[in-house]
Amino acid sequence: MKKYAIIVAGGSGQRMQSAVPKQFLLLQGKPVLYHTLAAFYQADATTEIILVLPVDQFSYWETLVAGLPPIPHRLVAGGNSRFQSSQHAIQTLTEDGMVAIHDGVRPLIDPDLITASFKAASEKGNAVLAVASKDSVRFYSSEMDAFKHLNRESIRLIQTPQIFSVKDLKEAFQQSYSEDFTDDARVVEALGIQINLVEGSYKNIKITTPEDLLLAEVLIK
């Protein structure tokens, strides 16, 4: 089975309070994004890794990794939204197989979890990582103009990678963009395809704030 990994990294440093985009910040002396690519390469060195970046960041990325052990990957120019960035990468896929779409700023994804997720996707048609909420959850009801309690046992927090077949992704990303497309799983679900959740990891954090980077430093040790 052909495996692809689309790593989407189009974030800025705004919430990190940094002039450097968060995917390029150093974690244990290496760019956050390098750790992410390394996890997929370690899980299966035959996986074709596609890195989606703003085109004006290509040369900076190549400079950052010039002195590091090489991880085979190819660059694809991102779009104006997460939807467009995924779409651009999906359009370059030439073979059937399974595709993992992953946030570039989730560098602590366990290679064993990647392998298990690909296996689950090949058996069920797709696989999306998720974890149970540890906190109490409320949602805003416009009818009541108040926040209402939700049973946290029925809530799952969605992570990446999210793994689908090439066929389903190509069809899904032919749809017109909708604000309801909050992640790639929602795009596929809009076709009427059932999404299969598999157990993620609380260590698989998304680095968006300075506190996240500090936590990642602790976890990676």
Side-chain angles (χ1 to χ4, degrees):
M1 177 186 66
K2 174 72 175 181
K3 293 180 183 177
Y4 295 96
I6 295 174
I7 312 298
V8 185
S12 66
Q14 186 173 3
R15 279 185 288 179
M16 286 297 298
Q17 303 167 24
S18 168
V20 178
K22 54 195 175 184
Q23 59 267 24
F24 299 142
L25 294 175
L26 297 184
L27 175 62
Q28 292 283 291
K30 298 174 183 174
V32 165
L33 191 51
Y34 182 86
H35 289 278
T36 307
L37 268 64
F40 281 86
Y41 186 62
Q42 184 179 338
D44 185 345
T46 69
T47 300
E48 183 175 337
I49 300 175
I50 302 158
L51 176 56
V52 186
L53 287 174
V55 69
D56 60 0
Q57 294 178 0
F58 281 15
S59 59
Y60 182 61
W61 165 248
E62 290 168 350
T63 300
L64 275 180
V65 298
L68 297 174
I71 299 174
H73 64 281
R74 59 184 173 88
L75 295 174
V76 168
N80 296 324
S81 65
R82 172 57 179 262
F83 176 86
Q84 284 188 347
S85 293
S86 294
Q87 187 180 56
H88 288 181
I90 291 163
Q91 288 171 345
T92 71
L93 306 182
T94 58
E95 299 180 45
D96 291 334
M98 302 302 292
V99 187
I101 305 182
H102 188 65
D103 298 321
V105 289
R106 288 188 189 269
L108 303 186
I109 180 64
D110 191 308
D112 289 339
L113 188 52
I114 294 172
T115 300
S117 300
F118 265 111
K119 184 175 184 295
S122 66
E123 294 171 351
K124 301 178 180 179
N126 60 66
V128 172
L129 267 62
V131 293
S133 174
K134 296 180 180 180
D135 302 314
S136 294
V137 182
R138 287 179 175 265
F139 81 100
Y140 179 71
S141 169
S142 57
E143 293 179 0
M144 300 178 62
D145 191 25
F147 286 91
K148 299 184 64 177
H149 171 75
L150 287 177
N151 179 3
R152 69 182 178 187
E153 296 300 320
S154 63
I155 299 296
R156 292 295 179 272
L157 308 179
I158 302 302
Q159 301 180 337
T160 64
Q162 301 181 356
I163 305 178
F164 311 95
S165 69
V166 170
K167 175 181 176 296
D168 286 346
L169 282 176
K170 282 186 174 287
E171 183 178 357
F173 277 85
Q174 288 177 0
Q175 299 176 99
S176 298
Y177 173 75
S178 166
E179 291 186 359
D180 189 43
F181 292 162
T182 55
D183 66 355
D184 302 290
R186 184 69 191 104
V187 183
V188 173
E189 189 177 40
L191 290 179
I193 295 173
Q194 179 178 326
I195 300 301
N196 301 295
L197 300 187
V198 297
E199 192 66 30
S201 168
Y202 291 108
K203 292 182 180 180
N204 184 24
I205 62 172
K206 186 176 183 180
I207 296 179
T208 56
T209 67
E211 294 80 9
D212 297 330
L213 192 60
L214 291 173
L215 178 57
E217 287 280 359
V218 173
L219 292 173
I220 205 168
K221 291 178 181 179

